[in-house]
Amino acid sequence: MDSIRNGWFSEISDMWPGQAFSLRVKELLFQGKSDYQDVLVIQTENHGKALVLDGILQCTEFDEFSYQEMITFLPLNAHPNPEKVLIIGGGDGGVAREVAKHPRVKQIVQVEIDRLVIDQSKKHLAFMAKGFESEKLTLLVQDGFEYMKNHTNEFDVVITDSSDPVGPAVNLFTESYFHLLKTALKSNGVISSQAGTLWTDVNHIKQTMKNCGKHFPVVKYATSNVPTYPNGQIGYLVAALDGSRDVTKPILRFTDEDIEEMKLRYYNPQIHEASFVLPTYFSKVLNG
């Protein structure tokens, strides 16, 4: 919790050695510790409000929409009829905000383990936490693993909005976790998960895809630009139980009118397809 010094928040982690990212802090809005992690909310000088967990930047008001929209609409639009959706994590409410916009989604269940993150997001990050207000949503504060063990063959899409693979979140990238996701899904289900950045995590991404591939016949990695994330890029693992499903092509293609009505700022059908096109080197590493 000593990441603010001389008016600057600095993200320094062994996950991306030899580099750091800093934001000038205008005001400290909240600083505390839950049963699971350190929680920090700050008002930055140029990037709006920001949420930090265990010293790692989770989102800023400036660019959060890129991540929230992509982790949501990549799987939803790769499914023919995503009526029932499960969100694991996502305590800031951003993913719920986006899932609720989808015209074919009828029911959302969100399972977040940390009540403190939810409460502080509602208090300070209303631009994301408004997702909790959807009539489609049932919000549960409990362990996502335990929930899925008791809910099988139930969901069309499962979205895992996790922090980076340290501490308890390590378990969300394992083969056993993907097996649990498979059992929670209906037979034609689709998943998406936060999957790290190519520039420093490529070997971890490859192992995660391998873990997922033991239970899902279709496994792809997509990217989007998020300037305040390490290296300005984040990835999404998108996988399907239907071996014939091409998740790189949206089944439902939003029109310009749809995009305007849903107030989307990053996702569109062209971005959906382009996000799966990787630079040559990284494509060879992940697919070789």
Side-chain angles (χ1 to χ4, degrees):
M1 300 294 282
D2 60 349
S3 54
I4 299 178
R5 294 184 178 180
N6 300 318
W8 288 82
F9 162 77
S10 294
E11 179 182 87
I12 302 172
S13 173
D14 291 338
M15 289 186 290
W16 31 91
Q19 64 185 63
F21 182 78
S22 299
L23 292 171
R24 185 183 291 276
V25 178
K26 189 174 182 179
E27 183 182 357
L28 175 62
L29 300 176
F30 176 80
Q31 185 174 359
K33 187 177 180 63
S34 72
D35 292 336
Y36 306 98
Q37 57 203 336
D38 293 328
V39 180
L40 180 69
V41 185
I42 54 177
Q43 176 73 52
T44 71
E45 191 75 28
N46 297 312
H47 291 72
K49 295 176 181 178
L51 173 66
V52 181
L53 300 179
D54 283 339
I56 305 300
L57 197 61
Q58 302 300 306
C59 55
T60 75
E61 195 169 356
F62 170 70
D63 58 12
E64 53 85 13
F65 61 90
S66 168
Y67 173 83
Q68 316 292 353
E69 292 180 16
M70 292 295 279
I71 199 171
T72 296
F73 294 111
L74 288 175
L76 291 184
N77 284 347
H79 192 286
N81 193 27
E83 292 186 347
K84 189 170 184 180
V85 178
L86 174 64
I87 303 169
I88 300 296
D92 52 48
V95 171
R97 179 193 68 196
E98 299 304 322
V99 175
K101 294 177 182 178
H102 198 283
R104 295 181 182 174
V105 171
K106 296 180 179 180
Q107 184 178 357
I108 309 165
V109 177
Q110 179 170 358
V111 184
E112 163 63 52
I113 199 169
D114 198 334
R115 167 65 72 179
L116 185 62
V117 173
I118 295 172
D119 290 344
Q120 291 305 314
S121 295
K122 287 180 176 180
K123 184 175 181 179
H124 297 294
L125 308 173
F127 56 95
M128 287 190 294
K130 64 183 180 182
F132 296 132
E133 300 170 5
S134 172
E135 294 181 355
K136 300 179 181 181
L137 179 71
T138 299
L139 177 61
L140 305 173
V141 182
Q142 63 183 82
D143 186 296
F145 278 80
E146 294 305 314
Y147 178 85
M148 284 191 287
K149 288 177 182 177
N150 296 302
H151 294 265
T152 60
N153 193 33
E154 187 172 330
F155 296 95
D156 300 303
V157 173
V158 181
I159 300 171
T160 304
D161 179 15
S162 72
S163 53
D164 293 296
V166 293
V170 169
N171 295 324
L172 303 180
F173 299 81
T174 61
E175 180 189 345
S176 59
Y177 182 69
F178 290 110
H179 173 70
L180 201 55
L181 290 175
K182 178 182 178 179
T183 62
L185 288 167
K186 297 177 183 177
S187 60
N188 65 342
V190 177
I191 65 166
S192 69
S193 299
Q194 187 271 106
T197 170
L198 290 167
W199 295 96
T200 52
D201 300 337
V202 66
N203 290 325
H204 182 266
I205 295 167
K206 184 173 183 177
Q207 182 60 51
T208 302
M209 292 179 70
K210 182 178 179 181
N211 292 342
C212 182
K214 293 179 180 178
H215 302 285
F216 290 79
V218 177
V219 182
K220 298 292 184 180
Y221 176 87
T223 70
S224 75
N225 300 313
V226 185
T228 54
Y229 282 172
N231 308 300
Q233 178 264 324
I234 194 67
Y236 315 92
L237 186 150
V238 184
L241 289 176
D242 179 356
S244 65
R245 180 73 47 78
D246 184 359
V247 297
T248 71
K249 310 291 184 184
I251 295 174
L252 176 61
R253 300 183 69 90
F254 292 156
T255 65
D256 291 344
E257 291 75 19
D258 294 331
I259 290 169
E260 184 69 23
E261 182 178 350
M262 289 188 280
K263 296 181 171 60
L264 302 186
R265 292 180 283 171
Y266 195 95
Y267 178 90
N268 59 52
Q270 295 77 27
I271 285 286
H272 184 122
E273 297 185 21
S275 68
F276 291 94
V277 179
L278 303 180
T280 302
Y281 168 74
F282 294 119
S283 180
K284 287 181 177 178
V285 173
L286 295 182
N287 302 312

